[in-house]
Amino acid sequence: MEVKVAPADLDLSDATLVVGVLEGLQPAPGSEADFAHADPVLMEAAGFEGKAKQTLAVPHPEAKTMLLVGLGSEVDFESVRAAAGNAVRAARTERVVTRLAAIGIDGASRAVTEGSLLGGYEFRTYKTNGPKVKVTFVEVPDADEAELEAAARVSRSVIQARDWVNTPAVDLSPSQLAEQMSAVLGDAGIEVEVWDEDRIAEEKLGALLGVAAGSARPPRLVKATYRPEGAKKHVALVGKGITFDSGGLSIKSANFMEDMKVDMSGAAIVVAAAEAIASLGIPVAVTVVAPLTDNAVGGNATRPGDVLRPVKGPTIEVLNTDAEGRLILADGLGVASMEDPDLMIDVATLTGAMHVALGDRVAGYFASDPEAGELIRTASSRAGEPFWEMPLVHEYRKSLDSNVADIKNVSGGRYGGAITAALFLHEYADGRPWVHMDIAGPAFSKETYGDVVKGGTGVGVRTLVEVARTLAGE
Ligand code: BES
Ligand code: ZN
Ligand code: ZN
């Protein structure tokens, strides 16, 4: 399915009319007249109560059909967005006219647009059966047009990130991904460089080279600079781009390896966010750094006990080659810091420990100082993305002391693995305000719900766009 969202059209004759319903069968504000056509006997027989996730098609005198969508107990940004996503998947007509934007909350048009475009997302590139494209046109009377357009712009970037994450690693080598990223950033008017393996060696990115050593596919580093007029702040976005994480010589077991094409999500998200920020013309300077490589097991692979030299900061004893994300990010942060940003944010599917701590739906973040932490807290809440602040427990830093190098890449202990990973990265933040987002849990979803569809989610793109808006004073 492909979804297009546009403001208004009042002709209902061949359309599905979407009407929100609260638990207890209360019509959502703005839908009272339409809801009056819903037969209580039908709703009861179908077990429809207005609960979140429920949908029911019923007759309507003007529309082809009326689709009731449950909002649960509250009308808020997230319940409306989820209902829009559930509705677009349940609708059976080409045209959908939604009443959800008339619901009378701030951001209703954005919620409807994101829910429809992202909830209707499908990745069909490798499917040979079924329709290649079924377009659903979602029409939104009462839309705030500027808000709808901006939300559609951001949603397209989220979809770009999802497409990259969902593409099998065989078809997305570091060089292929770099090429695609360079095209996307270039189209958004951002200046881009792609460093190949020779340039990466010249620049002395020894940690990235160490991770890449085990793969037949050479590494790349995407570096982009967006410098709009009037920008007062400069943020560097650094994304983990492991195009496949086998674990390296510290190899993963089969069940942990299954979804490891997901491991370039951080890179996909920072590039997609920069695309959205530039396309929206947000006046904030952005540097993007995305180190891209496989973590593979070839004859030249880095061994446990080897020492790597990143471009800046402590030398690293690699004791576990599966803790590779922090290695390439050490170089990524090093390259980013040379651009003198006011704030650095890295995004990574970094640790299974974070997934264990916060589960499938919530990402964690760590901040070097309270101001940076507050920025992410408000941005993620404005974006409606689930981020939870985690503590940088400095007392744990000594568990990373190495006998032969300045630092080792794993603590060796079982506990607090997301925190020790963050403390490792902090060493490469150059003393600048810095945030680390560990999206290992929610980067990939096993379920479809609301605006989230099975597979890569693109979580973080919308929060980074809100960070840019906040830094620009919007
Ligand atoms: N890419 C993984 C983390 C991951 C786990 C991402 C689950 C998405 C879902 C990362 O490179 C990794 O393997 N981390 C190790 C670190 C350990 C060796 C200290 C882990 O979490 O097990
Ligand atoms: Zn790993
Ligand atoms: Zn990894």
Side-chain angles (χ1 to χ4, degrees), residues 37-102:
H37 299 296
D39 180 349
V41 177
L42 261 185
M43 292 190 281
E44 195 185 340
F48 181 84
E49 297 167 310
K51 290 194 169 143
K53 278 197 124 172
Q54 289 187 322
T55 58
L56 180 68
V58 298
H60 184 280
E62 290 135 61
K64 176 130 195 205
T65 181
M66 173 162 66
L67 184 68
L68 306 176
V69 285
L71 287 159
S73 54
E74 253 162 286
V75 175
D76 58 21
F77 179 78
E78 278 156 59
S79 70
V80 173
R81 186 176 60 185
N86 295 335
V88 80
R89 285 189 300 273
R92 294 282 165 266
T93 54
E94 195 174 273
R95 288 186 57 240
V96 172
V97 176
T98 183
R99 291 272 182 259
L100 290 170

Coordinates of all heavy atoms in Angstrom, one line a residue, residues 37-102:
H37 N -25.2 7.7 13.2 CA -25.6 6.6 12.3 C -25.2 5.2 12.6 O -25.6 4.3 12.0 CB -25.1 7.0 10.8 CG -25.6 8.3 10.3 ND1 -27.0 8.5 10.1 CD2 -25.0 9.4 10.0 CE1 -27.1 9.7 9.6 NE2 -25.9 10.3 9.6
A38 N -24.3 5.1 13.6 CA -23.8 3.8 14.0 C -24.9 3.0 14.8 O -25.3 3.5 15.9 CB -22.5 3.9 14.7
D39 N -25.2 1.9 14.4 CA -26.3 1.1 15.1 C -25.7 0.4 16.3 O -24.8 -0.4 16.2 CB -26.8 0.1 14.0 CG -27.9 -0.8 14.6 OD1 -28.1 -0.8 15.8 OD2 -28.5 -1.5 13.8
P40 N -26.2 0.7 17.5 CA -25.7 0.1 18.7 C -25.7 -1.4 18.7 O -24.9 -2.1 19.3 CB -26.6 0.7 19.8 CG -27.2 1.9 19.2 CD -27.3 1.7 17.8
V41 N -26.7 -2.0 18.0 CA -26.9 -3.4 18.0 C -25.7 -4.1 17.2 O -25.1 -5.0 17.6 CB -28.2 -3.8 17.3 CG1 -28.3 -5.4 17.2 CG2 -29.4 -3.3 18.2
L42 N -25.3 -3.4 16.1 CA -24.2 -3.9 15.3 C -22.9 -3.8 16.1 O -22.1 -4.7 16.1 CB -24.0 -2.9 14.1 CG -24.6 -3.4 12.7 CD1 -24.2 -2.4 11.7 CD2 -24.1 -4.8 12.4
M43 N -22.7 -2.7 16.8 CA -21.5 -2.5 17.6 C -21.4 -3.6 18.7 O -20.3 -4.2 18.9 CB -21.4 -1.1 18.2 CG -21.2 0.0 17.1 SD -20.9 1.6 17.7 CE -22.5 2.2 18.2
E44 N -22.5 -3.8 19.3 CA -22.5 -4.8 20.4 C -22.2 -6.2 19.9 O -21.4 -6.9 20.4 CB -23.8 -4.7 21.2 CG -23.6 -5.5 22.5 CD -24.8 -5.6 23.4 OE1 -25.8 -4.8 23.1 OE2 -24.8 -6.5 24.2
A45 N -22.9 -6.5 18.8 CA -22.7 -7.8 18.2 C -21.3 -8.1 17.8 O -20.7 -9.2 17.9 CB -23.6 -8.0 17.0
A46 N -20.6 -7.0 17.3 CA -19.2 -7.2 16.9 C -18.2 -7.0 18.0 O -17.0 -7.2 17.8 CB -18.9 -6.1 15.8
G47 N -18.7 -6.7 19.2 CA -17.8 -6.5 20.4 C -17.0 -5.3 20.3 O -16.0 -5.1 20.9
F48 N -17.5 -4.3 19.5 CA -16.8 -3.0 19.4 C -17.1 -2.1 20.5 O -18.3 -1.8 20.8 CB -17.1 -2.3 18.1 CG -16.4 -1.0 17.9 CD1 -15.1 -1.0 17.4 CD2 -17.0 0.2 18.2 CE1 -14.4 0.2 17.2 CE2 -16.3 1.4 18.1 CZ -15.0 1.4 17.6
E49 N -16.1 -1.7 21.3 CA -16.3 -0.9 22.5 C -15.6 0.5 22.5 O -15.6 1.2 23.4 CB -15.9 -1.6 23.7 CG -16.6 -2.9 24.0 CD -16.0 -3.8 25.0 OE1 -14.8 -4.0 24.9 OE2 -16.7 -4.2 26.0
G50 N -14.8 0.7 21.4 CA -14.0 2.0 21.3 C -12.7 1.8 21.9 O -12.0 2.8 22.2
K51 N -12.3 0.6 22.2 CA -10.9 0.4 22.8 C -9.9 0.6 21.7 O -10.1 0.4 20.5 CB -10.8 -1.1 23.3 CG -11.6 -1.4 24.5 CD -11.2 -2.7 25.2 CE -11.9 -2.8 26.5 NZ -12.3 -4.2 26.8
A52 N -8.7 1.0 22.2 CA -7.6 1.3 21.3 C -7.3 0.0 20.5 O -7.5 -1.1 21.0 CB -6.3 1.6 22.1
K53 N -7.0 0.1 19.2 CA -6.8 -1.0 18.3 C -8.0 -1.6 17.6 O -7.9 -2.3 16.6 CB -6.0 -2.1 18.9 CG -4.5 -1.9 19.0 CD -3.7 -3.1 19.2 CE -2.7 -3.4 18.1 NZ -1.8 -4.5 18.3
Q54 N -9.2 -1.3 18.2 CA -10.4 -1.9 17.6 C -10.9 -1.0 16.4 O -10.7 0.2 16.4 CB -11.6 -1.9 18.6 CG -11.4 -2.9 19.8 CD -12.6 -3.0 20.6 OE1 -13.3 -2.0 20.9 NE2 -12.9 -4.2 21.1
T55 N -11.4 -1.7 15.4 CA -12.0 -1.0 14.3 C -13.3 -1.8 13.9 O -13.4 -3.0 14.1 CB -11.1 -1.0 13.0 OG1 -10.8 -2.3 12.6 CG2 -9.8 -0.2 13.2
L56 N -14.2 -1.1 13.3 CA -15.5 -1.7 12.8 C -16.1 -0.9 11.7 O -16.3 0.3 11.8 CB -16.5 -1.8 14.0 CG -17.8 -2.5 13.6 CD1 -17.7 -4.0 13.3 CD2 -18.8 -2.3 14.7
A57 N -16.4 -1.6 10.6 CA -17.0 -1.0 9.5 C -18.5 -1.1 9.6 O -19.0 -2.2 9.8 CB -16.6 -1.6 8.2
V58 N -19.2 0.0 9.5 CA -20.7 0.1 9.6 C -21.3 0.9 8.5 O -20.6 1.8 7.9 CB -21.2 0.6 11.0 CG1 -20.7 -0.3 12.2 CG2 -20.7 2.1 11.2
P59 N -22.6 0.8 8.2 CA -23.2 1.6 7.2 C -23.3 3.1 7.5 O -23.4 3.4 8.7 CB -24.6 1.0 7.0 CG -24.6 -0.3 7.7 CD -23.5 -0.2 8.7
H60 N -23.3 3.9 6.5 CA -23.4 5.4 6.7 C -24.2 5.9 5.5 O -24.0 5.4 4.4 CB -22.0 6.0 6.8 CG -22.0 7.5 7.0 ND1 -22.3 8.4 6.0 CD2 -21.8 8.2 8.2 CE1 -22.2 9.6 6.6 NE2 -21.9 9.5 7.9
P61 N -25.1 6.8 5.7 CA -26.0 7.2 4.6 C -25.3 7.8 3.4 O -25.8 7.7 2.3 CB -27.0 8.2 5.2 CG -26.4 8.5 6.5 CD -25.5 7.4 7.0
E62 N -24.2 8.6 3.6 CA -23.6 9.3 2.5 C -22.3 8.5 2.0 O -22.0 8.5 0.9 CB -23.2 10.7 2.8 CG -24.4 11.6 3.0 CD -24.3 12.5 4.2 OE1 -23.3 13.3 4.3 OE2 -25.2 12.3 5.1
A63 N -21.6 8.0 3.0 CA -20.3 7.3 2.6 C -20.5 5.9 2.1 O -21.6 5.3 2.4 CB -19.4 7.4 3.8
K64 N -19.5 5.4 1.5 CA -19.5 4.0 1.1 C -19.6 3.1 2.3 O -20.4 2.2 2.4 CB -18.3 3.7 0.3 CG -18.1 2.2 -0.1 CD -17.8 2.1 -1.6 CE -18.1 0.7 -2.1 NZ -17.3 0.4 -3.2
T65 N -18.8 3.5 3.3 CA -18.9 2.8 4.6 C -18.3 3.8 5.6 O -17.5 4.7 5.3 CB -18.1 1.5 4.5 OG1 -18.1 0.8 5.8 CG2 -16.6 1.7 4.2
M66 N -18.7 3.5 6.9 CA -18.1 4.3 8.0 C -17.2 3.4 8.8 O -17.7 2.3 9.2 CB -19.2 4.9 8.8 CG -18.6 5.6 10.1 SD -19.8 6.8 10.9 CE -21.1 5.7 11.4
L67 N -16.0 3.8 9.0 CA -15.0 2.9 9.8 C -14.9 3.5 11.1 O -14.3 4.6 11.3 CB -13.7 2.8 9.1 CG -12.7 1.9 9.7 CD1 -13.1 0.4 9.7 CD2 -11.3 2.1 9.1
L68 N -15.4 2.8 12.1 CA -15.2 3.3 13.5 C -13.8 2.8 14.0 O -13.5 1.7 13.8 CB -16.3 2.7 14.4 CG -17.7 3.0 14.0 CD1 -18.7 2.2 14.9 CD2 -18.0 4.5 13.9
V69 N -13.1 3.8 14.6 CA -11.8 3.4 15.2 C -11.7 3.7 16.6 O -12.0 4.8 17.0 CB -10.5 4.0 14.4 CG1 -10.3 3.4 13.1 CG2 -10.7 5.5 14.3
G70 N -11.2 2.8 17.4 CA -11.2 3.0 18.9 C -10.0 3.9 19.2 O -8.9 3.8 18.6
L71 N -10.3 4.8 20.2 CA -9.2 5.7 20.6 C -8.8 5.3 22.1 O -7.9 5.9 22.6 CB -9.8 7.2 20.7 CG -10.0 7.9 19.3 CD1 -11.0 9.0 19.5 CD2 -8.7 8.4 18.8
G72 N -9.5 4.4 22.6 CA -9.2 4.1 24.0 C -9.8 5.1 24.9 O -10.9 5.7 24.6
S73 N -9.2 5.4 26.1 CA -9.9 6.2 27.1 C -9.6 7.7 26.9 O -10.2 8.5 27.6 CB -9.5 5.8 28.5 OG -8.1 5.8 28.6
E74 N -8.6 8.1 26.0 CA -8.2 9.5 25.9 C -8.1 10.0 24.5 O -7.6 9.2 23.6 CB -6.9 9.7 26.6 CG -7.1 10.4 28.0 CD -5.8 10.2 28.8 OE1 -5.7 9.1 29.4 OE2 -5.1 11.2 28.9
V75 N -8.4 11.2 24.3 CA -8.1 11.8 23.0 C -6.8 12.6 23.2 O -6.8 13.7 23.9 CB -9.3 12.8 22.6 CG1 -8.9 13.5 21.3 CG2 -10.5 12.0 22.3
D76 N -5.7 12.1 22.7 CA -4.5 12.9 22.8 C -3.7 12.6 21.5 O -4.1 11.8 20.6 CB -3.7 12.6 24.0 CG -3.3 11.1 24.2 OD1 -3.4 10.4 23.1 OD2 -3.0 10.7 25.3
F77 N -2.5 13.3 21.3 CA -1.8 13.1 20.1 C -1.5 11.7 19.8 O -1.7 11.2 18.6 CB -0.4 13.9 20.3 CG 0.4 13.8 19.1 CD1 0.2 14.6 17.9 CD2 1.5 12.9 19.0 CE1 1.0 14.5 16.8 CE2 2.3 12.8 17.9 CZ 2.0 13.6 16.8
E78 N -1.1 10.9 20.8 CA -0.7 9.5 20.5 C -1.9 8.6 20.2 O -1.8 7.7 19.3 CB 0.2 9.0 21.6 CG 1.6 9.4 21.4 CD 2.5 9.5 22.6 OE1 2.6 8.4 23.3 OE2 3.0 10.6 23.0
S79 N -3.0 8.8 20.9 CA -4.2 8.0 20.6 C -4.7 8.3 19.2 O -5.2 7.4 18.5 CB -5.2 8.1 21.7 OG -5.9 9.3 21.6
V80 N -4.7 9.5 18.8 CA -5.2 9.9 17.5 C -4.3 9.4 16.4 O -4.7 8.8 15.4 CB -5.3 11.5 17.4 CG1 -5.7 11.9 15.9 CG2 -6.4 11.9 18.3
R81 N -2.9 9.5 16.6 CA -2.0 9.0 15.6 C -2.1 7.5 15.5 O -2.2 6.9 14.3 CB -0.6 9.3 16.1 CG 0.5 9.0 15.0 CD 1.9 9.4 15.5 NE 2.3 8.8 16.7 CZ 3.4 9.0 17.4 NH1 4.2 9.9 16.9 NH2 3.7 8.4 18.5
A82 N -2.3 6.8 16.6 CA -2.5 5.3 16.5 C -3.7 5.0 15.8 O -3.8 4.0 15.0 CB -2.4 4.7 17.9
A83 N -4.8 5.7 16.1 CA -6.1 5.4 15.5 C -6.0 5.6 13.9 O -6.6 4.9 13.1 CB -7.2 6.3 16.1
A84 N -5.3 6.7 13.5 CA -5.1 7.0 12.1 C -4.4 5.8 11.4 O -4.7 5.4 10.3 CB -4.4 8.3 11.9
G85 N -3.4 5.3 12.1 CA -2.6 4.1 11.6 C -3.5 2.9 11.5 O -3.5 2.2 10.4
N86 N -4.2 2.6 12.5 CA -5.1 1.4 12.5 C -6.2 1.6 11.4 O -6.6 0.6 10.8 CB -5.8 1.2 13.9 CG -4.7 0.9 15.0 OD1 -3.7 0.4 14.7 ND2 -5.0 1.3 16.2
A87 N -6.7 2.8 11.2 CA -7.8 3.0 10.3 C -7.3 2.8 8.8 O -7.9 2.2 8.0 CB -8.3 4.5 10.4
V88 N -6.1 3.3 8.5 CA -5.6 3.2 7.2 C -5.3 1.8 6.8 O -5.6 1.4 5.6 CB -4.3 4.1 6.9 CG1 -3.1 3.5 7.4 CG2 -4.2 4.5 5.5
R89 N -5.0 0.9 7.7 CA -4.8 -0.5 7.4 C -6.1 -1.2 7.3 O -6.2 -2.2 6.6 CB -3.9 -1.1 8.5 CG -2.4 -0.8 8.4 CD -1.6 -1.7 9.3 NE -1.9 -1.5 10.7 CZ -1.4 -0.5 11.5 NH1 -0.6 0.3 11.1 NH2 -1.8 -0.4 12.8
A90 N -7.1 -0.7 8.0 CA -8.4 -1.4 8.0 C -9.3 -1.0 6.8 O -10.2 -1.7 6.4 CB -9.1 -1.2 9.3
A91 N -9.0 0.2 6.3 CA -9.9 0.7 5.2 C -9.8 -0.1 3.9 O -8.7 -0.6 3.6 CB -9.5 2.2 4.9
R92 N -10.9 -0.3 3.3 CA -10.9 -1.2 2.1 C -11.2 -0.4 0.8 O -11.3 -1.0 -0.2 CB -11.9 -2.3 2.3 CG -11.6 -3.3 3.4 CD -10.5 -4.3 2.9 NE -10.0 -5.0 4.1 CZ -8.9 -4.6 4.7 NH1 -8.2 -3.6 4.3 NH2 -8.4 -5.3 5.8
T93 N -11.3 0.9 0.9 CA -11.5 1.7 -0.3 C -10.3 2.5 -0.6 O -9.4 2.7 0.2 CB -12.7 2.7 -0.1 OG1 -12.4 3.4 1.1 CG2 -14.0 1.9 0.1
E94 N -10.3 3.0 -1.9 CA -9.1 3.8 -2.3 C -9.1 5.1 -1.6 O -8.1 5.7 -1.3 CB -9.2 4.0 -3.8 CG -7.9 4.5 -4.5 CD -8.0 4.5 -6.0 OE1 -7.8 3.4 -6.6 OE2 -8.4 5.5 -6.5
R95 N -10.3 5.7 -1.5 CA -10.4 7.0 -0.8 C -10.9 6.9 0.6 O -11.8 6.1 1.0 CB -11.4 7.9 -1.5 CG -10.9 8.4 -2.9 CD -11.9 9.4 -3.5 NE -12.1 10.6 -2.7 CZ -13.4 10.9 -2.2 NH1 -14.4 10.2 -2.6 NH2 -13.5 11.9 -1.4
V96 N -10.2 7.6 1.5 CA -10.5 7.6 2.9 C -10.7 9.1 3.3 O -9.8 9.9 3.1 CB -9.4 7.0 3.8 CG1 -9.6 7.1 5.3 CG2 -9.2 5.5 3.4
V97 N -11.8 9.4 3.9 CA -12.0 10.7 4.4 C -12.0 10.6 6.0 O -12.8 9.8 6.5 CB -13.3 11.4 3.9 CG1 -13.5 12.7 4.6 CG2 -13.3 11.5 2.4
T98 N -11.2 11.3 6.6 CA -11.0 11.1 8.1 C -11.6 12.3 8.9 O -11.3 13.5 8.5 CB -9.6 10.8 8.5 OG1 -9.5 10.5 9.9 CG2 -8.6 11.9 8.1
R99 N -12.3 12.0 9.9 CA -12.8 13.1 10.8 C -11.8 13.3 11.9 O -12.0 14.2 12.8 CB -14.1 12.6 11.4 CG -15.3 12.6 10.5 CD -16.0 14.0 10.4 NE -17.1 13.9 9.5 CZ -17.1 14.3 8.2 NH1 -16.0 14.9 7.7 NH2 -18.2 14.2 7.4
L100 N -10.7 12.6 12.0 CA -9.8 12.6 13.1 C -9.1 14.0 13.3 O -8.7 14.3 14.4 CB -8.8 11.5 13.1 CG -9.3 10.1 13.3 CD1 -8.3 9.0 13.0 CD2 -9.8 9.9 14.7
A101 N -9.0 14.7 12.2 CA -8.3 16.0 12.4 C -9.1 17.1 13.0 O -8.6 18.1 13.4 CB -7.7 16.5 11.0
A102 N -10.4 16.8 13.1 CA -11.4 17.8 13.6 C -11.6 17.6 15.1 O -12.5 18.1 15.7 CB -12.7 17.7 12.9

